[in-house]
C-alpha cells in the first residue's frame, strides 16, 4: 500500500504563558572545556525573544556567567533542577515551555533495570564532579511528568558523551 504524508500543519499557537530555561556550560578551565555553549544560549534567547517570548519569562544559567549578561546564576546541579521546577510550576493547557541545554552529556549504569541498554543518559552540570550528573529519569520527573494535558514543552539537548 502507498503511504501518504500529511500536508503542512498550521503553526502551534501558544494561548497561555511562555517560559524558557536556557542552560549553556563551557566548563572553563577544565580538560572538558567547550567554547560555544554560552553562544548557543545567546542565539536561542534571541530567537525566543523574536518569537514572542517575554524577556522576564526566560531564565538563563551560564558558565562562564560574564559571557552571558543577565544570567540568573551558574548551571550547577541545584540551580538546574530549581530552574526546571520554575519552568513547569503552575503550567496550564495552552502554555508553551522551552528547555535548551548546551553542554556535555554522558551515560551512567541504570540500577533500576528500566533501560534496555543498561544505561541512563545524563547531562553534566558545571559541578557534576561533586554534585553528580542529572539522569534522564530526573529530566522526566522535573520537566515532563508535572505537565498537564495541553501544555507544550520543547526541549533541545545539544550534548555528546564526554564528562
Amino acid at each position: 500500500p502507498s503511504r501518504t504524508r500529511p500536508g503542512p500543519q498550521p503553526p502551534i499557537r501558544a494561548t497561555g504563558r511562555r517560559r524558557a530555561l536556557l542552560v549553556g556550560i563551557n566548563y572553563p578551565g577544565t580538560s572538558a572545556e567547550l567554547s560555544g555553549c554560552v553562544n548557543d544560549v545567546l542565539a536561542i534567547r534571541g530567537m525566543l525573544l523574536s518569537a514572542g517570548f517575554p524577556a522576564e519569562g526566560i531564565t538563563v544559567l551560564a558558565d562562564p556567567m560574564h559571557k552571558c549578561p543577565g544570567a540568573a546564576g551558574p548551571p550547577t546541579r541545584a540551580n538546574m533542577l530549581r530552574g526546571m521546577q520554575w519552568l513547569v510550576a503552575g503550567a496550564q493547557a495552552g502554555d508553551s515551555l522551552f528547555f535548551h541545554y548546551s553542554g556535555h552529556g554522558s551515560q551512567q549504569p541504570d540500577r533500576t533495570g528500566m533501560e534496555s541498554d543498561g544505561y541512563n543518559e545524563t547531562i553534566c552540570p558545571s559541578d557534576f564532579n561533586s554534585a553528580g550528573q542529572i539522569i534522564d529519569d530526573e529530566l522526566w520527573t522535573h520537566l515532563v511528568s508535572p505537565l498537564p494535558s495541553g501544555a507544550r514543552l520543547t526541549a533541545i539537548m545539544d550534548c555528546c558523551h564526554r564528562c
Side-chain angles (χ1 to χ4, degrees):
S2 67
R3 294 184 181 183
T4 59
R5 292 183 174 197
Q9 300 295 309
I12 297 169
R13 303 253 185 250
T15 57
R17 70 180 176 160
R18 296 176 182 198
R19 272 189 170 175
L21 174 62
L22 313 178
V23 179
I25 312 174
N26 285 347
Y27 309 92
T30 71
S31 61
E33 187 165 354
L34 298 170
S35 61
C37 299
V38 173
N39 293 340
D40 292 345
V41 162
L42 293 171
I44 293 289
R45 184 177 187 279
M47 180 208 58
L48 291 173
L49 289 169
S50 70
F53 275 69
E56 65 275 6
I58 300 173
T59 295
V60 173
L61 300 174
D63 184 22
M65 284 179 46
H66 74 273
K67 296 210 174 204
C68 193
T76 61
R77 177 182 169 80
N79 283 348
M80 288 174 64
L81 294 175
R82 195 170 15 260
M84 291 176 202
Q85 290 169 342
W86 165 83
L87 181 63
V88 301
Q92 299 177 13
D95 287 355
S96 181
L97 310 174
F98 193 96
F99 176 71
H100 171 78
Y101 174 82
S102 185
H104 285 305
S106 190
Q107 291 182 313
Q108 290 183 336
D110 171 34
R111 292 169 180 40
T112 67
M114 288 176 44
E115 303 287 345
S116 62
D117 66 353
Y119 290 94
N120 283 304
E121 273 53 56
T122 68
I123 55 176
C124 304
S126 60
D127 62 348
F128 73 90
N129 282 322
S130 59
Q133 299 172 33
I134 298 174
I135 65 171
D136 51 12
D137 299 337
E138 290 175 287
L139 293 172
W140 174 267
T141 298
H142 286 86
L143 288 174
V144 180
S145 180
L147 295 179
S149 179
R152 298 187 183 271
L153 171 67
T154 300
I156 298 175
M157 310 293 282
D158 183 1
C159 48
C160 62
H161 294 169
R162 173 80 194 269
C163 67

